Each structure stands twice: as structure tokens, then as C-alpha cells.
Amino acid sequence: MKSDRILFFLIVFGIILLINYLVYRTFRNFLLRSSMKTLTVNLVTRIPFAVLILPFLFFMMTGFDFAGLPAWFNKYIIIPFFAFEGAVIFVGLYLLAGKIIKLPFQILRFLINRVNFLKEKYRKIKERKAAVAFDRSRRKFLTAASAAVAGYAFVGAGLGALNKDSFVLEDKRIRLQNLPEELKGLTIALISDVHSGPFMEYGLMKHYCDVINDIRPDIILIPGDVTNSKKTESKEFAAAFRDLRAKYGVFATMGNHDYFSDADYITEVLRNESPITVLRNGFSGLKINGKDLLIVGTEDTRDSGNGSNHLLAKYINDTISKSETFLKENNLDPAGVPKLLLAHKPYMFDEVSGMNFDMMFSGHTHGGQIVFLKYADLNVS
């Protein structure tokens, strides 16, 4: 499997490097057609691409592990690199789409040029004034369109990098059929996929903690990915969220990134150094205004996944079975107690909808991520 992973990522990185080369060559040829001197063109094109491709090679050699890198490296190298690459890939895909559209016409022209009679006819058509004017207009339009796309990509990527720490606080009102009158108006704060690490440092996480505390939620739920790639990142997470407060408690599960290193270690850090109750195929019963509420949290798996998973289904089934046994032992009707499921990935929603849960809380998709390439449990998203 290790060789498959290496091959997969070598192919992915090879494609990305080819896209970089396509954008570089197109940009260079465009400048060479202008009145700009060759030396200036070399400086304008080769230096940015050479400088900003070096971090790529470094990241490939280190497995894109940013843990332990100094703050200045993150600010002045990692973020500009990702902004540049995001823009280049966007422009590269646009150029690639253009080449694919042009391909049938290029093949047709190639075939025409193989037949002298057709070649001469084609030459005469191209030399007509209307054809020359159309060709000139077409080139101007394509140049302007390409410049607009490139400008949009680089400005958008730059603004995205500058505003990467901005966030929105959303208020969602949800009606549950099985909710007793005494629990109506209950407020839950949901924050997920914090990924403590190089892109989410202590100060920003502490700010999130303060904002959540300001809205004074009754319950706080954190469905996984508290760390990015290293178990030690949980220490900074716990320090930032140690003052997190909710009237009836703070509950979390582990996400797939938490299994990249050591989920047991991360769990112990959160339990010992923060007010967070970590549910790993477990549940917590709450008594609110004399009524019962059950919060169920299930384990996750290391893979990113994008669909049903028999192991996750087993986790959910086993946990709901344990929780219902607990309710019966306490003379409570499982069907009458509202149950909230905390599960990192949302892909089991269809199966969960038939398991007597009232609501499912998940994260993982970062607001809707796009998977470009997938092989087994590996993906580029």
C-alpha cells in the first residue's frame, strides 16, 4: 500500500508541475510577443516560478508536514506558496480547457495541410480581409479573456490568503419532532475541523473560544479534527479552549485527522487539560429542566472517505445499542428521549436517518470541499 501511496502522489504532483509549466510557457510566450526585452521576460517569468516552486519540492520531501515550522515560515512562505499555486492551477485548468476545445480544429488543420489542394484553398480563405479581421479580433478577445481570468485568479487567491482567518457566525433554528416542551429554545454551538497546527495557531483559536463563550450556548459540540497531523498539536488546542464554557457541557469526537497521529493521546490531553468531554463510541446523558437528553459520539477512521463505511456503521450501531440499554436500565423509554449524534463524517446520514436519532452533527467537508482525484482511501481535495 505504501508504494501505491507514493505512486499516487507522484502522479498528482507531476500533473501539478505540468500545469505550472503550461502557465509559465504561456505567460512567457505572451510577453515575448510584446516589445519587452528577452532579459526582462526571463526575470519576470523565471524568478517567480523558480522561487515559488522551491517550497513545493520541500513540501514533497517532507510529506507536506508543516508541524514545527516557525511562524515566519508559515506567514511568508507557506501562505504565499498556496495562494500562488491556487491561482496557477486555476489559470492552468482554464488554458488546458482551451487547448482541449482547440484540439479538433488543430487535427482538422493538420489533415488539410497534408492535401495540397485543400491546403491552398485554406490559405486563400485565411488571406481574405474578413478572415484576417476576424482572426485579429479573435486573438484580441482571447488575450483579454486570458488576462481577465489570470487577474481574477491571482487577485482572488491573494485576497483569500489575506482573509483566511475571517469567519461567519451563523444562527440556525431547527425544529425537532421528538423535543419535549421543556427543551425548546436549547442552544447548541457547533465548531468543527479546527485543525490545530500551522494554519490555526493559538491566538486565533483563543479568539474562537472567546466568540463562542460570548454567545453563551447551552451545549457546545466539536465533531472532530481538533488536530492537523501531530498529536502534540492537541496541547495548543487544549490551551486555547481551556476556558470554553457551556451550561450543560462541551462534547467532542475524534476526526480522521486525529487518527493520523495518536487519537488516544489527543483524547487524554483534551480530557485532562480542557473542559471537553470526548465521546468515543460513547454517550452522555443530560438532565435539562427535568427532561433527559442523550448525546452520542462515535469513533472515526483515518481515511477521508466519501460514502458509507461498514466500520463506521458498526460504531454507530454498537453505540446506539449501548445507549438504549443505559436508558432502559434507568427506566427511560429510548424512543422518548431525544438523541443527538456527534459523528465526524456526514456520509452515513442515510443509514443514520433510520436509527432513531433526532439530529446528526458532523464536520469534515469544510463547508463543501471538492475532491479532484481519488484512489482507494487517498484523495486530492
Side-chain angles (χ1 to χ4, degrees):
M1 185 59 188
K2 188 175 180 180
S3 60
D4 287 348
R5 293 176 71 90
I6 293 171
L7 179 61
F8 174 78
F9 284 110
L10 282 175
I11 292 171
V12 171
F13 294 147
I15 291 171
I16 292 173
L17 289 172
L18 285 172
I19 290 174
N20 273 262
Y21 181 73
L22 171 64
V23 175
Y24 161 74
R25 289 295 302 175
T26 304
F27 183 46
R28 178 177 167 78
N29 291 338
F30 171 75
L31 294 179
L32 286 173
R33 288 195 297 269
S34 67
S35 58
M36 194 177 291
K37 294 180 180 179
T38 304
L39 179 61
T40 306
V41 171
N42 289 339
L43 291 173
V44 171
T45 56
R46 289 178 180 173
I47 290 178
F49 276 88
V51 169
L52 286 162
I53 211 70
L54 288 175
F56 201 168
L57 301 175
F58 170 75
F59 298 150
M60 284 176 64
M61 288 186 290
T62 58
F64 278 76
D65 182 5
F66 307 134
L69 294 176
W72 65 264
F73 192 87
N74 174 50
K75 186 175 181 180
Y76 297 111
I77 295 180
I78 292 180
I79 292 173
F81 162 77
F82 276 111
F84 177 79
E85 276 304 310
V88 165
I89 290 172
F90 184 88
V91 174
L93 292 174
Y94 165 80
L95 294 172
L96 195 59
K99 288 187 177 297
I100 292 171
I101 292 170
K102 286 166 59 178
L103 185 61
F105 300 99
Q106 290 176 329
I107 293 172
L108 181 61
R109 187 167 61 185
F110 172 80
L111 295 174
I112 287 172
N113 286 333
R114 303 279 75 79
V115 181
N116 289 332
F117 170 74
L118 294 175
K119 181 179 179 181
E120 185 63 21
K121 281 279 189 184
Y122 179 67
R123 183 187 64 79
K124 288 180 179 180
I125 292 172
K126 280 192 69 177
E127 289 176 353
R128 291 176 183 173
K129 286 185 178 181
V132 171
F134 173 78
D135 188 56
R136 189 182 297 117
S137 175
R138 179 184 64 87
R139 288 179 183 275
K140 285 182 179 180
F141 171 77
L142 290 175
T143 300
S146 299
V149 169
Y152 168 79
F154 282 95
V155 171
L159 290 174
L162 292 172
N163 295 315
K164 70 181 183 64
D165 296 337
S166 63
F167 61 89
V168 175
L169 186 66
E170 293 189 17
D171 181 21
K172 300 288 185 183
R173 297 180 182 274
I174 299 164
R175 186 184 299 275
L176 300 182
Q177 285 186 335
N178 196 34
L179 195 69
E181 191 69 32
E182 291 83 353
L183 298 184
K184 287 185 178 179
L186 195 71
T187 58
I188 297 176
L190 176 73
I191 181 170
S192 184
D193 296 80
V194 174
H195 289 277
S196 173
F199 299 115
M200 189 65 75
E201 42 79 36
Y202 170 83
L204 185 56
M205 289 190 289
K206 182 66 172 66
H207 181 52
Y208 279 125
C209 178
D210 293 340
V211 169
I212 293 169
N213 283 340
D214 283 345
I215 62 176
R216 298 182 179 181
D218 293 320
I219 298 169
I220 297 172
L221 299 180
I222 309 172
D225 277 3
V226 299
T227 62
N228 191 59
S229 57
K230 298 285 187 181
K231 66 180 184 180
T232 51
E233 293 164 345
S234 59
K235 290 282 187 179
E236 197 157 74
F237 181 96
F241 288 98
R242 72 170 71 248
D243 296 324
L244 203 57
R245 295 289 179 267
K247 190 173 181 180
Y248 300 109
V250 184
F251 304 91
T253 54
M254 296 286 96
N256 62 305
H257 272 257
D258 301 315
Y259 294 86
F260 285 0
S261 51
D262 189 339
D264 293 335
Y265 177 93
I266 295 167
T267 298
E268 287 307 305
V269 168
L270 297 186
R271 285 174 176 169
N272 295 326
E273 301 179 26
S274 80
I276 300 170
T277 298
V278 183
L279 300 174
R280 300 180 63 185
N281 292 342
F283 55 89
S284 187
L286 303 179
K287 183 76 77 172
I288 302 173
N289 296 329
K291 291 295 181 179
D292 293 283
L293 177 70
L294 204 66
I295 297 179
V296 178
T298 60
E299 291 273 35
D300 200 58
T301 53
R302 179 187 172 95
D303 64 286
S304 296
N306 66 346
S308 296
N309 182 308
H310 72 280
L311 189 56
L312 295 182
K314 182 180 183 302
Y315 289 158
I316 295 170
N317 278 309
D318 289 349
T319 309
I320 191 65
S321 177
K322 286 189 293 185
S323 67
E324 289 183 348
T325 300
F326 164 80
L327 291 172
K328 289 175 182 176
E329 288 174 351
N330 286 272
N331 299 316
L332 295 169
D333 178 13
V337 177
K339 288 178 282 297
L340 310 182
L341 174 64
L342 201 56
H344 179 63
K345 298 189 188 85
Y347 306 125
M348 297 294 295
F349 183 80
D350 287 341
E351 289 90 334
V352 166
S353 64
M355 292 183 181
N356 199 28
F357 285 104
D358 294 274
M359 190 166 182
M360 177 177 174
F361 296 86
S362 297
H364 186 63
T365 61
H366 297 204
Q369 64 187 14
I370 299 167
V371 177
F372 290 102
L373 295 169
K374 180 172 174 62
Y375 172 73
D377 66 338
L378 307 169
N379 67 47
V380 176
S381 55

